[in-house]
Amino acid sequence: DSGVTQTPKHLITATGQRVTLRCSPRSGDLSVYWYQQSLDQGLQFLIQYYNGEERAKGNILERFSAQQFPDLHSELNLSSLELGDSALYFCASSALRTDTGELFFGEGSRLTVL
Amino acid sequence: DQQVKQNSPSLSVQEGRISILNCDYTNSMFDYFLWYKKYPAEGPTFLISISSIKDKNEDGRFTVFLNKSAKHLSLHIVPSQPGDSAVYFCAARRNQFYFGTGTSLTVIP
């Protein structure tokens, strides 16, 4: 158990719809990262938040948005969904300083767009 | 722009032998390199890392080698066990983490 909690684990929806994925980081971790893993693809970095502020942005579509709340949980909002948005979405958290530089991942939210 | 590449999508190794997983990167400014292991239906879990100032780090059966001049990273697993069968991602860090596409390792009993 990494200590990172993601909900929902599975989500099936239709094209054009909007969904929200939720992530609770490990206790004490201020950084939250969102990654997308599509079929046969690696982990594509979407966005990072640190203590409520956006820290870095990756290949995140304009239809997607995220935020980190004062209690440090984060939400990833996906709107106007397309078939190609079907993927595993991972949240990860990290401490400000680590000896190993590692991320701790949740189990992922599997989104299926029909 | 794929800054971290794993060119072998899959690898099969006999139990007890050495598994060598490879990774190449393009950015010389990365400060940490990491390996993650992923089982189906689970999130990636941290395995081992190496700072850019080192060339080798060992943890039990797992050793990571870093060749900065070649911009190449490798993970050695000795001896390989069936439980090591998983997808292995290499990653590099500079402000954010960049991941490779993964190598699926199968250890044959």
Side-chain angles (χ1 to χ4, degrees):
Chain A
D1 182 7
S2 68
V4 177
T5 304
Q6 287 187 250
T7 58
K9 284 189 168 36
H10 301 275
L11 192 54
I12 301 174
T13 189
T15 54
Q17 294 298 304
R18 172 191 168 97
V19 298
T20 297
L21 309 180
R22 182 188 167 102
C23 169
S24 294
R26 283 192 325 156
S27 176
D29 283 355
L30 299 179
S31 277
V32 169
Y33 305 74
W34 286 98
Y35 286 85
Q36 179 193 56
Q37 185 185 19
S38 302
L39 193 64
D40 296 331
Q41 295 292 313
L43 292 160
Q44 298 295 318
F45 171 68
L46 296 178
I47 198 163
Q48 178 202 356
Y49 279 84
Y50 176 77
N51 202 19
E53 299 289 327
E54 183 183 302
R55 185 82 174 256
K57 216 167 188 176
N59 300 322
I60 188 166
L61 300 171
E62 286 190 11
R63 300 183 286 109
F64 296 179
S65 65
Q67 54 183 325
Q68 186 179 27
F69 295 86
D71 67 352
L72 300 178
H73 91 270
S74 178
E75 292 181 357
L76 178 67
N77 301 297
L78 315 174
S79 61
S80 302
L81 286 168
E82 301 174 359
L83 295 178
D85 297 328
S86 295
L88 258 177
Y89 291 85
F90 287 105
C91 168
S93 73
S94 72
L96 177 60
R97 293 184 186 280
T98 70
D99 290 336
T100 55
E102 71 201 82
L103 291 175
F104 294 87
F105 282 86
E107 293 185 352
S109 293
R110 180 171 291 282
L111 173 65
T112 302
V113 182
L114 301 176
Chain B
D1 178 23
Q2 192 72 23
Q3 298 194 43
V4 177
K5 295 179 183 178
Q6 293 176 260
N7 293 318
S8 299
S10 62
L11 174 68
S12 289
V13 171
Q14 208 71 32
E15 181 179 3
R17 305 295 290 267
I18 184 171
S19 295
I20 300 176
L21 296 98
N22 294 303
C23 180
D24 296 299
Y25 62 94
T26 58
N27 191 337
S28 58
M29 301 301 289
F30 289 134
D31 63 350
Y32 254 104
F33 300 88
L34 307 94
W35 285 95
Y36 286 83
K37 179 179 178 179
K38 185 183 180 302
Y39 293 117
E42 294 183 11
T45 55
F46 170 75
L47 189 57
I48 191 169
S49 70
I50 186 167
S51 166
S52 61
I53 63 173
K54 297 186 176 180
D55 54 20
K56 178 182 174 182
N57 187 28
E58 193 171 349
D59 184 2
R61 296 186 298 113
F62 302 91
T63 303
V64 56
F65 294 92
L66 176 62
N67 182 334
K68 286 187 287 293
S69 61
K71 294 191 177 68
H72 181 80
L73 184 72
S74 64
L75 174 68
H76 293 210
I77 307 174
V78 183
S80 301
Q81 299 174 353
D84 295 329
S85 296
V87 176
Y88 290 77
F89 290 97
C90 69
R93 187 185 79 172
R94 172 166 170 76
N95 299 323
Q96 57 166 291
F97 292 79
Y98 298 83
F99 283 81
T101 51
T103 297
S104 178
L105 172 67
T106 301
V107 179
I108 304 164

